Amino acid sequence: MIVQEQVCLKDKHSFHLNVSARYWAEYQTTDELREVLQDKRFAKLPVLPLGGGCNLLFTQDFPGLIIKSAISSLEVVHENEEEVLLRAGSGLDWDQFVETCVSQAWGGIENLSGIPGLTGASPIQNIGAYGVEAKDVIQAVEVFDRQTLDSLVLPVEECGLAYRNSRFKQEWKDRYIVCYISYRLNKKPAYRLDYGNLKEALISKGGLQQGPEAHHGNLSLIRRAVLDIRSSKLPDPDVLGNAGSFFKNPELETAAFALLAERFPELPHWELPNNKVKLSAAWMIEYCGWKGKSSGRAGVYPKQALVLVNLGAARGEEIYGLYKQIAADVFSTFGIRLQAEVVIL
Ligand code: EPU
């Protein structure tokens, strides 16, 4: 395995900022991962596991070692008439993985089409879109333990997958590195079409067909509809650097929400279990006048206010400064502290 020094990260993360890493290594096996983690040169340096770099904001050069998974195997572990169990390496491109599954008529992740990044991020971030989350299909996660230098399998129930969150992002951040993910997918129709305008988008494409033989065509149609909706709202990171939603949609207790709704009756919201309500951060940001605005070379995407963009040669601090200004305005208007969804380094 080759370890490179002073590596430019511009094309290795989706904000495309001009930052560098002191060391960079890509591993194809867990043995290679063990080898690099045991290397004395890096013993005292910070280590950052990176996937597609699609959920990160670098505010400065990275002073340590970045390790990137290039484990790209995909195996069918078990299969019957109803479902298939897959074991995917953490270095597979997520959307190519979705495309492969759709082409095999394996359902469950078609709503997650078009999400940038690698499969390895799916349990860490519990990626989600259009009413589906990674936790709905992940069965287990195989990780490499940086303390014991061994692999172990964690059932998904132990991983604390929640809205854009998991134990991998919290207390396990410096301990476990995701190497393989097991996904359980459907061979029979079980579509999730209730989010937003997905149903209408499908109807405009001719609608879903009935019968088991229509399954493959239906999955392709859903994938196409999701890709179309995404491209109408979200910028292509290779054209305009970004990290998807920069903010999380905040959650409030029902009682606190009722008071807020008296002042802002139009605020879009979704009821959650346990007396909670999720609010649209995009709407609040737009209400504060930020949609389409910029500060220096950092901007708010004109079609989706949750997305901060690099307008060209932005520095990480500029994006960070914009995030702080928006969060301060939302707090003074709504009394709500928005949290960043992206990891800020
Ligand atoms: N809205 C606005 N202004 C905007 C954008 C949206 O008022 O600029 C309102 C819409 O009118 C709608 C509501 O916000 O009532 C929800 O909009 P949308 O369906 O676009 O979803 P979102 O809450 O803004 C979330 C995810 C996205 C995901 C979509 C679809 C978060 C933080 N973001 O966005 O995920 O694609 O739902 O499921 O949960 C990501 O995580 O990077 C990401 C893009």
Side-chain angles (χ1 to χ4, degrees):
M1 184 185 32
I2 299 163
V3 179
Q4 294 170 270
E5 261 184 83
Q6 286 309 332
V7 171
C8 173
L9 299 175
K10 199 159 187 251
D11 293 328
K12 298 186 187 296
H13 75 295
S14 63
F15 258 123
H16 298 301
L17 304 167
N18 198 7
V19 284
S20 63
R22 184 157 165 207
Y23 295 103
W24 170 275
E26 285 184 28
Y27 55 93
Q28 295 187 346
T29 61
T30 45
D31 285 341
E32 286 188 347
L33 177 57
R34 182 181 298 106
E35 184 193 318
V36 73
L37 291 174
Q38 280 181 311
D39 191 319
K40 300 247 174 339
R41 278 180 295 171
F42 314 125
K44 294 211 166 80
L45 292 178
V47 174
L48 173 68
L50 187 85
C54 299
N55 201 48
L56 279 180
L57 176 68
F58 288 103
T59 56
Q60 55 186 21
D61 291 336
F62 188 72
L65 167 71
I66 295 188
I67 45 172
K68 176 169 174 169
S69 170
I71 305 177
S72 55
S73 58
L74 179 60
E75 301 159 58
V76 173
V77 176
H78 173 74
E79 192 170 10
N80 61 25
E81 297 246 305
E82 304 284 321
E83 57 186 24
V84 58
L85 183 66
L86 302 172
R87 178 177 184 255
S90 55
L92 286 171
D93 176 84
W94 172 261
D95 194 51
Q96 280 174 16
F97 171 62
V98 175
E99 191 174 36
T100 302
C101 294
V102 166
S103 72
Q104 297 291 327
W106 299 330
I109 51 174
E110 57 284 356
N111 293 33
L112 304 180
S113 291
I115 296 180
L118 306 184
T119 42
S122 61
I124 299 173
Q125 172 73 353
N126 184 25
I127 57 171
Y130 306 100
V132 173
E133 287 184 324
K135 77 175 167 57
D136 303 333
V137 289
I138 292 178
Q139 199 200 37
V141 186
E142 283 177 59
V143 296
F144 189 83
D145 184 343
R146 286 173 61 185
Q147 276 175 17
T148 62
L149 296 177
D150 254 324
S151 297
L152 75 156
V153 178
L154 301 166
V156 71
E157 301 76 42
E158 287 179 21
C159 301
L161 269 58
Y163 171 57
R164 299 297 192 278
N165 207 354
S166 72
R167 295 178 79 185
F168 300 111
K169 263 182 111 169
Q170 305 294 336
E171 71 265 31
W172 291 345
K173 187 160 55 82
D174 296 319
R175 176 143 191 208
Y176 292 141
I177 297 171
V178 174
C179 291
Y180 295 91
I181 309 97
S182 302
Y183 300 95
R184 187 182 287 285
L185 300 183
N186 296 314
K187 289 186 169 182
K188 298 275 166 69
Y191 311 127
R192 308 272 284 271
L193 309 174
D194 289 332
Y195 189 94
N197 57 347
L198 185 53
K199 262 190 200 139
E200 292 79 66
L202 285 165
I203 290 166
S204 76
K205 291 185 181 309
L208 298 185
Q209 305 301 309
Q210 299 295 321
E213 64 293 340
H215 188 42
H216 175 227
N218 286 343
L219 291 177
S220 300
L221 203 70
I222 297 169
R223 172 170 165 76
R224 201 60 266 151
V226 168
L227 288 173
D228 286 354
I229 298 173
R230 285 186 75 93
S231 64
S232 72
K233 290 188 178 178
L234 298 168
D236 175 349
D238 289 335
V239 177
L240 204 54
N242 73 86
S245 295
F246 197 95
F247 300 91
K248 285 189 189 182
N249 284 328
E251 291 175 9
L252 269 191
E253 302 289 332
T254 309
F257 171 69
L259 293 175
L260 193 66
E262 280 176 21
R263 289 169 54 216
F264 304 101
E266 285 167 13
L267 208 170
H269 60 279
W270 305 267
E271 312 279 335
L272 300 175
N274 311 329
N275 274 330
K276 292 209 163 159
V277 180
K278 190 184 276 186
L279 312 179
S280 164
W283 189 91
M284 291 190 267
I285 295 168
E286 189 172 341
Y287 185 92
C288 291
W290 278 107
K291 193 169 178 174
K293 293 283 164 54
S294 58
S295 170
R297 290 161 294 179
V300 181
Y301 191 56
K303 295 183 195 165
Q304 166 52 284
L306 281 181
V307 180
L308 302 190
V309 294
N310 173 1
L311 294 170
R315 284 177 300 111
E317 293 100 316
E318 284 175 283
I319 311 261
Y320 183 77
L322 178 59
Y323 148 61
K324 286 292 179 188
Q325 288 180 63
I326 293 171
D329 271 2
V330 168
F331 183 68
S332 67
T333 308
F334 298 94
I336 287 181
R337 289 189 197 282
L338 288 186
Q339 287 183 354
E341 187 197 300
V342 304
V343 174
I344 298 168
L345 290 165

